[in-house]
Each structure stands twice: as structure tokens, then as C-alpha cells.
Amino acid sequence: MAKEPYSELLTLIAVARERSFTRAAAQLGMSQSMLSHTIRAMEARLGLRLLTRTTRSVALTEAGERLLAAVAPRLEAIEAQLHAVTELGNTASGTLRITASDHAIDSLLWPKLAPLLAQHPRLNLEMHSDYTLIDIVQGRFDFGVRLGDGLTRDTRAIPIGPAFGMAIIGTPAYFATHALPRTPDELMDHDCINLRLPTHGNLYAWELQRGEQTLNVRVAGRLIFNGIYQVLNAALAGQGLAYVPADLARPHLATGQAVPVLEHCWRSFPGYHLYYAAHREPSRAMQVVIEALRLPGDAH
């Protein structure tokens, strides 16, 4: 493949992924004017519009979507083989992109992956905080991290964390003026702090257990955030009840800063899993990350 079409395709993929000329140019390390010139030259050569541009967003045209659907998997395969060839030795190199929730990054990924930077000076890590179950192939991520019950069959998954619990908490200050709820139904009488998920803009339903019955409780309140740490901080400030990972709640429960709510209804979930595309052969860099994150004793 000639150099120009190859670089043009990489530029188009970056713009399609970021939906922004500015962000795509920053990721590619080129000026926005050069990026725009590259896209215009590609469209002129093909005689087709590949992108629809507005003042606020950039989107693929039908022709652009068809082109990327055909070439993106092939370019990914080429890049994977190039990585494999360059990593025949023992040194991990290159950039790995990982998508995970902010909680997974803080509690699992960063503590275990930070030492790899000193051990492998040619290894670069990009961690993208997101609550969506992203198509890692389309998003050009090497790995994703999500709870084990949310994974699809076209991925390989490695457990990297123990069973995962969620907790409902409030503060003594909040309960000085509110009655402690005794049943999930009584949550409707409280100011509950919601988490908005990026998928369809929905508010996250609180997943609880009542005997053998699983409940998805949609609560209401005056505050909504799109990050779990902001939800926690608002609850600790006495603004209402929060549904947060149990490991985040535990230190505040131990000091009495937080109060457990409906503890008998708290649920556990399969722990965090690291996943990647099933058809992909892991590079040396990917193998290093897998081994760093894998649960002790896991044989997969």
C-alpha cells in the first residue's frame, strides 16, 4: 500500500473514533489544518464525501462507514502483526489502550500496572475512563475491563478481581432529619444520588437482593453525576443516599462517617475481568499486562 492512502485511512479512523478534528489531531500528533487537508485530499481522490461536518460534531457518511467497516479490521490485523514481529524479544514495547471505569482504574489497574513502566521503558499505557461496554475493536482499544457478567462471547476474558459488592450508604447528618429505610420500597422517600450512564443516557438502577428475588430499583433525587467518586463525595457531604462499590464505602463505614443502609439487600457481582478480542493474538506487551493483572492461581 502506498504511504499516502495508508496514512489517510489512519487519519480517517482517528476522526471517526474521536468525532472531533481537534481531538484526532492531538492524538495523531499533527496540526488540525494538516488533518483537514489529509481528509479533503482523500475525499477528492475517491470522489466521495466520507465525513459530515457541523459546527459541533463530525460523523461518517454512509460511504465513510462502509469504507471503515471494510478496512479497519484489516489495519488492526496489520498493526497486531507488526507489534508481534517487533516484540519477538523479551522487551514489551508500544502503546496499549485500555478502557475501564474510573473505579477499576483506581482500585485495580493503576496499582498493578504502574510498576510495569519502570520494568519496560518502551511500554506506554493509555487508560480511558468510561462506563460503557465499548466495542474495543471499533474503539481501537487493546483491552477493556468490566464486571464478568457483562461480557460478550466474541471476547477472551481473564478474571483480575475478586467478587464485587455494592453498598448503600448515608451519613449521620442525613439521618438526623430522615428515617432509616427498612425496605427497598422506602428508598422512594429519600434523596438518592444517581449515576448517569453514557449508554442511552439512562440513570443506573440500584441492583438489590430481597431473599431470592433480584430487584432493580430506580431511585430519585436532586443530584446526578456521571462518575462514582462524585456520587460518593456527595453522599459523604450529607446530600443523600448513594449506591457505591463496597470497597469505597468500607473505610467511611469503619470510621462512622457513613452509615450502612439496607445491608441485608446488598448484592455481589462477578469480579472485574480484563477482556480483548477473541480473534487477536496477544502481543508481548499485552502478555505483560495480562500477567500483571491476572488473579493469583488463575490458570486460563
Side-chain angles (χ1 to χ4, degrees), residues 6 11 38 41 69 85 87 94 103-104 127 141 192 210 215 219 252 261 273 279:
Y6 185 79
T11 303
T38 301
V85 169
E87 294 180 347
H103 176 252
M127 287 182 263
F141 287 100
C192 296
R210 181 162 55 189
L215 305 175
V219 297
H252 306 289
V261 178
H273 283 60
H279 67 270

Side-chain angles (χ1 to χ4, degrees), residues 104 108-109 112 144-146 157-162 271-275 289-290 292-296 298:
L108 276 177
L109 300 190
K112 291 186 176 182
V145 175
R146 294 294 181 269
I158 299 104
I160 63 173
Y272 282 123
H273 283 60
L274 182 76
Y275 68 96
V289 167
I290 290 171
L293 294 176
R294 189 193 302 272
L295 280 177
D298 178 57

Side-chain angles (χ1 to χ4, degrees), residues 208-229:
L208 304 176
Q209 196 79 33
R210 181 162 55 189
E212 299 297 321
Q213 184 183 11
T214 299
L215 305 175
N216 288 334
V217 182
R218 298 199 175 275
V219 297
R222 300 170 62 197
L223 286 173
I224 300 172
F225 296 96
N226 67 346
I228 201 66
Y229 289 95

Side-chain angles (χ1 to χ4, degrees), residues 90-94 115-124 284-285 288-289:
N90 293 323
T91 302
S93 63
L116 295 184
L117 299 177
Q119 298 168 18
H120 302 277
R122 295 171 57 193
L123 177 65
N124 304 317
R284 174 60 182 158
V288 165
V289 167

Side-chain angles (χ1 to χ4, degrees), residues 12-253:
L12 179 64
I13 289 171
V15 175
R17 181 174 64 245
E18 298 296 334
R19 295 183 178 274
S20 163
F21 275 68
T22 302
R23 291 195 296 271
Q27 184 200 12
L28 294 171
M30 61 194 303
S31 68
Q32 188 172 341
S33 61
M34 178 60 72
L35 185 147
S36 297
H37 173 76
T38 301
I39 295 296
R40 285 197 300 270
M42 185 179 188
E43 290 177 325
R45 185 168 54 80
L46 295 176
L48 293 168
R49 288 289 300 275
L50 300 174
L51 294 170
T52 301
R53 307 160 178 84
T54 69
T55 56
R56 294 187 176 183
S57 66
V58 181
L60 289 168
T61 64
E62 182 179 354
E65 289 180 352
R66 184 171 178 178
L67 177 62
L68 279 199
V71 302
R74 291 171 171 83
L75 289 178
E76 182 189 4
I78 291 172
E79 290 183 359
Q81 289 302 317
L82 289 173
H83 278 301
V85 169
T86 59
E87 294 180 347
L88 289 176
N90 293 323
T91 302
S93 63
T95 298
L96 292 181
R97 301 183 72 237
I98 307 172
T99 172
S101 68
D102 49 1
H103 176 252
I105 291 172
D106 281 12
S107 64
L108 276 177
L109 300 190
W110 181 238
K112 291 186 176 182
L113 296 183
L116 295 184
L117 299 177
Q119 298 168 18
H120 302 277
R122 295 171 57 193
L123 177 65
N124 304 317
L125 298 174
E126 178 182 343
M127 287 182 263
H128 180 82
S129 177
D130 200 319
Y131 285 80
T132 308
L133 187 60
I134 290 176
D135 182 333
I136 56 175
V137 174
Q138 183 176 355
R140 294 179 63 80
F141 287 100
D142 300 285
F143 291 115
V145 175
R146 294 294 181 269
L147 296 181
D149 59 352
L151 300 176
T152 58
R153 294 181 179 179
D154 58 349
T155 60
R156 296 181 184 176
I158 299 104
I160 63 173
F164 181 94
M166 295 292 289
I168 305 175
I169 62 169
T171 61
Y174 176 82
F175 287 117
T177 56
H178 298 80
L180 191 71
R182 302 296 179 185
T183 68
D185 294 336
E186 293 180 12
L187 290 172
M188 305 305 174
D189 300 326
H190 287 267
D191 230 344
C192 296
I193 303 162
N194 269 299
L195 175 71
R196 187 177 296 282
L197 298 179
T199 306
H200 307 304
N202 290 336
L203 299 181
Y204 179 50
W206 293 11
E207 300 177 76
L208 304 176
Q209 196 79 33
R210 181 162 55 189
E212 299 297 321
Q213 184 183 11
T214 299
L215 305 175
N216 288 334
V217 182
R218 298 199 175 275
V219 297
R222 300 170 62 197
L223 286 173
I224 300 172
F225 296 96
N226 67 346
I228 201 66
Y229 289 95
Q230 291 74 39
V231 171
L232 173 66
N233 291 335
L236 294 177
Q239 295 296 324
L241 306 184
Y243 183 73
V244 297
D247 65 298
L248 293 185
R250 204 168 291 121
H252 306 289
L253 293 171

